[in-house]
Amino acid sequence: MTLAASQAPPAPPRAAVPPPRPGPARRAWRTVSPYAYLAPFFTLFAAFGLFPLLYTAFVSLYRVELQTPGDMEWRGLGNYTALLGDAYFWVALRNTFTIGVLSTVPQLVMALGLAHLLNYRMRGRTFLRTAVLLPYATSVAAATLVFAQLFGRDFGLVNYGLGLIGIDPVDWQNGTVASQIAVSTVVIWRWTGYNALIYLAGMQSIPDELYEAAAMDGASRWRQFFHVTLPGLRPTILFTVVVSTIGATQLFGEPLLLEGSISGGISHQYQTLGLYLYEQGWGFFHLGRAAAIAWVMFLLIVVLVGINALIAHRRSRKEADR
């Protein structure tokens, strides 16, 4: 009892010392620093993205010629109404749509199948995954010039192969459907590998447990692909559809270099909106009308992307209600 009483009581705990408050300059920097880090991007975007877009809209309301860009005559919506009355504009719009469908649909289907094969464990898959990206890394000018030789009417390799099976030579550059198929082939060759790698990345993000559960339920490879892989790839597929739609609307290099004509053939049979814009602005020197075409292309892209997003949203809502 004496020992217990002689023990000193425990010392009270020391109060924690609060850290010193930052000064006004440091607090101000913490508030401003996120905007300072983002400022270079927004500065470049405003200078090279937003300003050209708005200035193009401004120019589209005037009559402006390339020889005298300082002389601007107010037209209002005259450039847009002139486009609606130009038969070649509708031809270019139709060609853009048909070439876009002919190039986008086979391209994405082939990319999906190629990604499915590359997702398997096989020898040399790292090399194959790198090799499928080589067409995308190839210059559009070099690729189109090679395909222009392949699709030559008299000495092209494609017509030579058709002749071996008894098919007459096809005039790939002057026929409407044939020339559009030739342009679409170049686009398919260049972009299939790029989309395949995007699909491959999406497939590798799908959990293996879903495939194991499907295999335990007796699902075959095909059923696993349609009921596990495709639903898991829906956001990726939507992304590639949107990007391919934008690329098809802005298609320019492939149709220009196929024959080297800004008119898209003798009868404008494969002239896209991009070529039509170039012809009006730098062929006929009508900068105001070219600016109007650029804004029509921009609005067309917005509408098409909106339709794709609306379809995807409705489909996701239907699946959520099930």
Side-chain angles (χ1 to χ4, degrees):
M1 297 294 292
T2 304
L3 294 175
S6 62
Q7 290 180 354
R14 295 182 177 181
V17 179
R21 295 185 61 184
R26 191 173 185 84
R27 291 198 303 269
W29 171 247
R30 287 183 178 180
T31 305
V32 176
S33 60
Y35 302 98
Y37 292 133
L38 294 174
F41 166 77
F42 283 105
T43 302
L44 293 176
F45 173 75
F48 299 102
L50 186 60
F51 172 74
L53 183 67
L54 297 178
Y55 186 73
T56 302
F58 171 76
V59 173
S60 68
L61 303 177
Y62 289 84
R63 184 195 302 275
V64 187
E65 301 298 324
L66 184 62
Q67 303 93 330
T68 56
D71 298 336
M72 304 178 67
E73 178 185 348
W74 171 259
R75 291 201 66 190
L77 298 178
N79 287 323
Y80 295 92
T81 56
L83 287 181
L84 298 179
D86 188 358
Y88 291 123
F89 167 76
W90 296 105
V91 171
L93 181 62
R94 184 182 69 245
N95 293 340
T96 302
F97 175 77
T98 54
I99 294 176
V101 173
L102 289 174
S103 61
T104 300
V105 176
Q107 172 195 150
L108 297 183
V109 172
M110 292 171 60
L112 191 60
L114 188 59
H116 187 62
L117 293 176
L118 293 175
N119 198 31
Y120 283 106
R121 295 180 180 177
M122 55 184 178
R123 294 181 180 178
R125 61 176 180 175
T126 303
F127 169 77
L128 294 176
R129 291 174 181 177
T130 306
V132 297
L133 198 60
L134 291 179
Y136 171 72
T138 305
S139 169
V140 60
T144 307
L145 292 176
V146 170
F147 273 89
Q149 298 298 319
L150 293 176
F151 285 103
R153 183 187 61 181
D154 299 323
F155 304 103
L157 187 60
V158 175
N159 278 342
Y160 175 77
L162 294 177
L164 295 178
I165 58 177
I167 300 178
D168 296 332
V170 179
D171 193 352
W172 295 102
Q173 295 182 349
N174 293 324
T176 300
V177 178
S179 60
Q180 294 180 3
I181 291 176
V183 173
S184 302
T185 304
V186 185
V187 179
I188 292 172
W189 182 81
R190 291 194 67 242
W191 290 95
T192 298
Y194 172 83
N195 289 310
L197 290 185
I198 293 178
Y199 287 149
L200 178 62
M203 289 179 182
Q204 292 179 345
S205 66
I206 300 175
D208 295 334
E209 293 79 5
L210 297 179
Y211 291 100
E212 295 173 359
M216 292 179 62
D217 291 339
S220 61
R221 292 279 189 178
W222 280 107
R223 287 187 175 273
Q224 292 179 25
F225 178 76
F226 283 106
H227 297 283
V228 178
T229 304
L230 287 183
L233 284 179
R234 185 169 292 114
T236 308
I237 293 175
L238 176 61
F239 169 77
T240 55
V241 169
V242 170
V243 172
S244 299
T245 301
I246 295 174
T249 307
Q250 298 176 337
L251 194 62
F252 176 76
E254 290 84 350
L256 173 65
L257 297 173
L258 183 66
E259 192 183 7
S261 172
I262 62 176
S263 61
I266 298 176
S267 57
H268 300 253
Q269 65 269 16
Y270 59 91
Q271 185 184 48
T272 60
L273 286 175
L275 276 183
Y276 181 67
L277 183 154
Y278 187 86
E279 181 185 45
Q280 292 294 322
W282 283 263
F284 301 148
F285 311 127
H286 303 322
L287 293 185
R289 183 172 295 188
I293 299 170
W295 259 87
V296 169
M297 293 173 61
F298 173 74
L299 296 177
L300 181 62
I301 290 174
V302 171
V303 171
L304 293 177
V305 172
I307 291 174
N308 289 329
L310 181 62
I311 294 174
H313 179 67
R314 287 186 175 181
R315 182 170 297 179
S316 61
R317 286 189 59 183
K318 287 182 180 179
E319 292 183 354
D321 294 338
R322 290 179 181 176

